[in-house]
Amino acid sequence: MNGPPFAGAAPAQVSVPVLALGDILLVTLQGELHDGAAERLQQDITERIAASTVAGVVIDISGVDIVDSFLGRVLAEIASSTRLLAARTVVAGMRPAVAITLAELGLTLPGLATALNAERAMGLLASRDAAVGEGV
């Protein structure tokens, strides 16, 4: 008898929606971000910035329980790509446990500003004179 019908199958690749709110892209991460989805997300964000007048990207991670070194690297790469395309990235909704884990891993996430929630992140991007790296 064979095993369950989908035993050993790769998990379904879920794409991450990227919403445009004026000149800001809003990305809401929920749960784990697998390799393929991370690559598609980075490509989608960079293509959308290059094709329009996007000034910034808000990545809401309030739905993420764990940020490992992979997700930390993905966030840093997205920030680097957006910075090269003259846009800014703000990570919003970081839980205290996630912040502690990032600090323990030594991940500083260069080029990323942080905000307590998506609303504050949008405000930070709206105030163009705010320096990257400042938290709100």
Side-chain angles (χ1 to χ4, degrees):
M1 178 179 208
N2 292 338
F6 298 104
Q13 293 295 324
V14 177
S15 64
V16 177
V18 178
L19 305 174
L21 301 171
D23 65 348
I24 296 173
L25 298 179
L26 175 62
V27 179
T28 303
L29 300 181
Q30 299 289 323
E32 284 188 59
L33 186 65
H34 298 284
D35 292 3
E39 289 173 6
R40 280 193 307 279
L41 176 62
Q42 185 173 1
Q43 184 170 353
D44 187 24
I45 289 171
T46 56
E47 287 175 358
R48 301 258 314 256
I49 292 170
S52 63
T53 58
V54 172
V57 178
V58 173
I59 302 175
D60 183 355
I61 63 169
S62 59
V64 176
D65 292 323
I66 298 171
V67 174
D68 57 9
S69 59
F70 170 72
L71 183 53
R73 190 183 87 241
V74 167
L75 293 173
E77 287 175 0
I78 290 171
S80 179
S81 297
T82 58
R83 193 171 46 252
L84 289 170
L85 294 169
R88 297 175 44 210
T89 304
V90 180
V91 171
M94 187 177 303
R95 297 176 185 205
V98 170
I100 290 167
T101 300
L102 288 173
E104 288 174 349
L105 291 172
L107 297 174
T108 58
L109 304 179
L112 283 172
T114 57
L116 293 175
N117 58 41
E119 181 180 355
R120 288 188 177 186
M122 301 284 281
L124 179 62
L125 289 173
S127 65
R128 307 233 188 266
D129 55 348
V132 170
E134 291 182 3
V136 178

